[in-house]
Amino acid sequence: MYREKYDLTGKTAFVTGGGRGIGLASAMALAECGAKPIIADRDPAVLDEGLTALRRLYPAAEGIELDVTQSDAVTAAADRFNQAGGVDILVANAGISWPDTPGEEMGDDVWLKMIDINLNGCYWSCRAFGRHMLARGAGSIVTVGSMSGVISNKPQRQVHYNAAKAAVHHMTRSLAGEWADRGVRVNCVAPTYVDTAMSGRGLRTPELSKIWMENTPAHRAVTAEEIASVILFLASDAASALMGSIVLADVGYTIW
Ligand code: NDP
């Protein structure tokens, strides 16, 4: 009974920012449970590398070059894959977290770029794929928020990132409320520090790292695969009771 809930055979999953990191790990997890994965990323080289790895597990995996800030292109991708059989699972994962910048010094361009990718891109994706899911009366969307959407994480100086991720959390809850009685679930995973290319950028100094680990009850980061497990659960029927949930995957960081 429970094993069946994780069986995604016959389903298709679309993952934005899926060329590497959490996105690629999620595509792998979903594929391992039977879903056909389609990964989207903006850099063709990253996309190719991810697709090559994914095809070792699921030869029919597909990839598409896509910048989630381009709403027309996101809509076109959703329409294309809908015509090709439909998308059952969306992981709206694409995002950036850098540059870290003190709030009083941030330029308009830095603020706007963060909001454009992390909030607008996430919404364009949910809207475009959600429309088709609503038309079919079935679908599961997982957004990728952040622990930084819950706490301000002061040492890192990321007011733009924190604000964008908090908005992703509330967008998730709002869409979940609108779509709950129409067969489409929308949930969010909110990770702490995950050891990926993204977290290796910006001001990840040894001092910052030390503060982070001291403030974490488990004194460790999490892996992309651990986040993928949460995404897999949320995407699957095992999470049928979850609608608008923000699942903290923070190895305890927000407890203290
Ligand atoms: P990675 O940088 O490893 O992977 C993210 C991928 O998304 C990259 O290939 C990136 O490409 C791509 N991407 C960025 N912008 C766009 C865009 N406009 N359109 C399409 N693709 C894009 O990061 P992670 O795997 O660590 O992060 C994935 C998600 O998890 C993000 O939303 C992030 O905010 C969230 N997260 C990450 C945490 C961490 O500590 N790593 C903690 C909490 C949340 P490019 O290299 O060109 O930018």
Side-chain angles (χ1 to χ4, degrees):
M1 173 191 173
Y2 293 105
R3 197 176 300 191
E4 282 164 20
K5 293 178 188 282
Y6 280 97
D7 183 1
L8 304 178
T9 306
K11 296 196 170 177
T12 297
F14 191 94
V15 183
T16 69
R20 67 180 183 200
I22 293 168
L24 182 58
S26 308
M28 292 278 196
L30 293 160
E32 198 177 310
C33 288
K36 173 183 171 175
I38 303 168
I39 55 171
D41 215 299
R42 62 179 173 181
D43 180 335
V46 169
L47 183 64
D48 270 4
E49 205 174 319
L51 198 51
T52 303
L54 197 49
R55 280 186 173 151
R56 282 188 214 115
L57 180 65
Y58 199 108
E62 291 187 55
I64 177 173
E65 204 179 311
L66 182 69
D67 180 339
V68 295
T69 65
Q70 305 304 306
S71 68
D72 288 349
V74 174
T75 300
D79 293 350
R80 175 183 142 190
F81 287 107
N82 182 55
Q83 280 181 357
V87 170
D88 307 282
I89 294 163
L90 167 69
V91 182
N93 160 78
I96 60 166
S97 71
W98 51 276
D100 298 354
T101 313
E104 68 277 21
E105 289 170 16
M106 191 171 307
D108 296 11
D109 54 339
V110 174
W111 173 272
L112 288 170
K113 186 176 175 194
M114 183 66 74
I115 299 296
D116 203 21
I117 297 177
N118 285 13
L119 176 59
N120 297 348
C122 185
Y123 174 63
W124 308 146
S125 305
C126 293
R127 183 183 65 180
F129 286 88
R131 279 177 185 148
H132 294 298
M133 291 176 180
L134 289 168
R136 288 200 313 279
S140 179
I141 296 176
V142 183
T143 60
V144 179
S146 172
M147 174 188 81
S148 303
V150 176
I151 54 156
S152 70
N153 192 20
K154 183 184 168 199
Q156 207 163 338
R157 317 301 296 267
Q158 285 188 313
V159 60
H160 52 347
Y161 185 72
N162 301 341
K165 289 300 188 182
V168 165
H169 295 180
H170 206 56
M171 182 204 73
T172 301
R173 291 181 63 73
S174 303
L175 289 178
E178 285 193 34
W179 297 348
D181 60 355
R182 296 161 71 190
V184 180
R185 292 187 300 107
V186 192
N187 291 290
C188 177
V189 61
T192 181
Y193 177 89
V194 189
D195 200 5
T196 63
M198 188 185 90
S199 49
R201 283 175 168 146
L203 295 179
R204 302 300 193 275
T205 59
E207 295 74 32
L208 192 57
S209 201
K210 185 166 175 284
I211 294 171
W212 198 305
M213 292 311 152
E214 279 172 359
N215 285 340
T216 302
H219 305 300
R220 70 171 180 92
V222 298
T223 64
E225 289 71 25
E226 287 179 292
I227 302 304
S229 292
V230 180
I231 291 173
L232 171 65
F233 166 64
L234 291 174
S236 77
D237 288 346
S240 56
L242 274 66
M243 298 178 190
S245 293
I246 313 299
V247 179
L248 274 167
D250 67 353
V251 282
Y253 192 103
T254 54
I255 296 171
W256 290 344

